[in-house]
């Protein structure tokens, strides 16, 4: 940015700060920062201060009709789509913003990771009503990974508009692209492969940020029809329900998939020794097959295809899916190259998480959940689909699959912005992953059994030590601009531990109830961090700004210390709050007789700015201890005990 523009930007930023300052309450070091845009949304009634959507909340929507051919020998994808956008906002739109994320791979593209350079997303044609649209201000423009389509006339509230686009791109090799690619032209996973509308939301309007590689996504909900053409013998799994099974699957495969919906066993749709026998699929006269999928209310679609995969299937029982007391079923699938780690157990791992999350959080709404092996090192989530590396031993793979499948709730059902608040999906996902993992292995191996309370204790202990060494970066930082080394703790481990700590603060009923309510209220919508925070405040019936300020917005640490001293015949106990964060204090005194007395110092005492608390206590006191149950992220445990 040239210096003169920089000066203007600084001046504008200063004005904005002053404005928000003028509107704030008297300075409160423990309050949440004000956000003008968000306050305006509350005034407009699209949001509320209760952590629920406001009465005037809206989302825009879209429909995609996509035909795509995957040509494995050339690692080439050719696509053609009709994109329809519906404006349900109260404002008329002049233009549409569309992501072309394959442009991450263009030579010279802005990015935060090293990737294979390809030709990027190559546009063959853009048409509206059969007429070609031109590149330029009046047609469409492409800047990096974002395309802007100028509308011939404003799109009024309640109206829809369509255009058609055809394209092709070279699929990057596995390991040379974030979250997608191909392995030796034998296994393909397509993510971020089609033109996708950016989100236009009630708070910020268009949110069409560049795809730089690290930061993930913000996506709107849409309906899709997807026709995927592949060579004979290749199986295709994708987001959505397969509509033409009779045309692409053999009788044998169809029968096995039906059995999977009735049986708790893992059914081999393609067993290890059946790979390549040609008996699983059907092809047309041209030696190809076209698989048609339909998906509703999803924020993205992904495709997995291979002629090397074994294919397992079973089903999960989805508690209360069709209303209270009316359970539903969801097909569970795993596709993998046989012999890879513990993948022959992947369907079992996937079923456990889908059933657990449906029971504990919100019913899984979609017809299937498919775990695909290969391509990447870790795991990545897509609606109804996950792509995971080999995952090593059973325990590692179970944890990885649990993590990716919790993402079906955050951010797939609850459409958070993963770039601005990666912690909202990664932290919450890591939190549930820990509970699910412990529960899965409890049933398997009682010697390693951990209760929920054990998981909370272990997570808090580990993170307290870590924060003592290095407080890291704030959770709320932008995913693309938080240093890589600090990002993982700020987005995953810390917000997960901070949720465990919040569970300790609020108790299970309020805490888990707040999370369930948050998911139910924000399903298929776009909550902001303020909505997440307010959901807990509403459930708890009190202001928790001080908590979220300390643990999400700042890198404050927490350390309270206790001391005992004798003054004449009296015993004085002192508790000091040594760092910026505050938490309520429980002080347990052990008397000479061995009996105990407990004193509570409410958090309000510390919130008033007090740094020290002192009181005469029982003259028979021998020992004192604070935080006896290890509920808080206290960075120094050595000063939690004192004796006389
Ligand atoms: Zn994740």
């Amino acid at each position: 940015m040239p210096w003169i523009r920089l000066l203007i930007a600084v001046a504008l930023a200063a004005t904005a700060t002053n404005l928000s300052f003028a509107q704030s309450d008297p300075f409160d070091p423990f309050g949440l920062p004000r956000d003008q845009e968000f306050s305006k949304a509350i005034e407009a009634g699209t949001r509320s201060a209760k952590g629920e959507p406001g009465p005037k909340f809206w989302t825009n929507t879209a429909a995609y009709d996509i035909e795509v051919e995957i040509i494995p020998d050339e690692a080439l994808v050719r696509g053609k789509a009709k994109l329809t956008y519906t404006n349900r906002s109260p404002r008329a739109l002049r233009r549409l913003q569309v992501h072309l994320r394959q442009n991450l791979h263009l030579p010279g593209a802005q990015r935060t990771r090293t990737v294979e350079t390809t030709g990027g997303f190559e546009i063959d044609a853009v048409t509206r009503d059969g007429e070609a649209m031109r590149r330029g201000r009046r047609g469409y423009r492409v800047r990096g990974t974002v395309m802007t389509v100028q509308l011939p006339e404003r799109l009024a509230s309640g109206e829809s508009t369509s255009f058609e686009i055809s394209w092709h791109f070279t699929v990057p090799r596995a390991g040379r692209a974030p979250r997608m690619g191909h392995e030796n032209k034998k296994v393909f996973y397509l993510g971020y492969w089609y033109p996708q509308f950016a989100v236009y939301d009630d708070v910020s309007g268009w949110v069409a940020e560049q795809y730089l590689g690290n930061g993930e996504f913000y996506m709107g909900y849409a309906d899709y029809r997807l026709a995927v053409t592949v060579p004979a013998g290749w199986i295709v799994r994708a987001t959505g329900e397969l509509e033409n099974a009779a045309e692409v699957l053999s009788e044998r495969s169809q029968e096995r998939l039906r059995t999977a919906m009735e049986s708790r066993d893992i059914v081999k749709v393609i067993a290890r020794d059946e790979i390549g026998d040609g008996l699983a699929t059907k092809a047309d006269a041209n030696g190809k097959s076209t698989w048609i999928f339909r998906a509703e209310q999803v924020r993205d679609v992904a495709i997995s295809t291979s002629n090397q995969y074994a294919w397992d299937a079973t089903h999960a029982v989805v508690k209360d899916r069709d209303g209270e007391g009316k359970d539903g079923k969801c097909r569970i699938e795993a596709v993998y190259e046989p012999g890879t780690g513990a993948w022959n157990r992947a369907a079992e791992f996937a079923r456990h998480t889908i059933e657990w999350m449906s029971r504990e959080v919100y019913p899984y709404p979609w017809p299937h959940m498919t775990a695909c092996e290969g391509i990447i090192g870790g795991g990545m989530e897509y609606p109804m689909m996950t792509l995971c590396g080999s995952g090593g031993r059973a325990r590692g793979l179970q944890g990885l699959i649990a993590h990716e499948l919790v993402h079906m709730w955050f951010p797939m059902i609850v459409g958070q912005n993963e770039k601005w608040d990666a912690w909202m999906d990664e932290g919450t996902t890591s939190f549930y992953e820990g509970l699910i993992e412990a529960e899965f292995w409890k049933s398997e191996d009682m010697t390693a059994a951990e209760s929920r309370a054990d998981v909370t204790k272990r997570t808090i202990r580990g993170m307290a030590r870590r924060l003592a060494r290095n407080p890291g970066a704030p959770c709320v930082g932008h995913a693309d601009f938080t240093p890589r080394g600090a990002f993982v703790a700020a987005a995953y481990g810390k917000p997960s531990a901070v949720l465990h700590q919040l569970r300790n603060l609020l108790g299970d009923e309020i805490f888990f109830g707040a999370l369930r309510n948050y998911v139910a209220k924000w399903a298929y919508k776009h909550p902001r961090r303020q909505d997440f925070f307010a959901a807990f405040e509403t459930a708890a019936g009190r202001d928790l700004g001080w908590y979220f300020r300390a643990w999400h917005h700042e890198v404050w640490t927490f350390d309270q210390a206790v001391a005992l001293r004798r003054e004449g015949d009296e015993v004085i106990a002192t508790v000091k709050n040594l760092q910026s964060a505050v938490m309520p204090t429980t002080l347990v005194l052990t008397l000479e007789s061995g009996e105990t007395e407990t004193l509570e110092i409410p958090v309000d005492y510390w919130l008033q700015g007090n740094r020290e608390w002192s009181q005469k206590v029982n003259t028979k006191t021998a020992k004192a201890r604070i935080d006896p149950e290890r509920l808080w992220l206290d960075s120094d445990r050595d000063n939690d005990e004192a004796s006389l």
Side-chain angles (χ1 to χ4, degrees), residues 381 403-404 407 426 492:
E381 68 279 7
H403 179 96
E404 303 314 329
H407 277 308
E426 296 301 355
Y492 292 73

Side-chain angles (χ1 to χ4, degrees), residues 490-503:
Y492 292 73
K494 183 180 172 186
S496 165
V498 165
L499 278 178
H500 280 287
Q501 181 177 245
L502 188 59
R503 176 184 172 209

Side-chain angles (χ1 to χ4, degrees), residues 230-235 281-284 286-289 307:
V230 292
W234 286 62
I235 59 163
T281 56
K282 280 183 196 168
D284 63 20
N286 301 320
K288 292 179 180 180
S289 64
N307 59 359

Side-chain angles (χ1 to χ4, degrees), residues 179 216 376-382 386-389 400 403-404 407 426 492:
R179 313 174 182 95
E216 295 190 335
I376 59 174
M380 185 59 203
E381 68 279 7
Y382 304 80
T386 177
L387 175 64
C388 296
L400 184 58
H403 179 96
E404 303 314 329
H407 277 308
E426 296 301 355
Y492 292 73

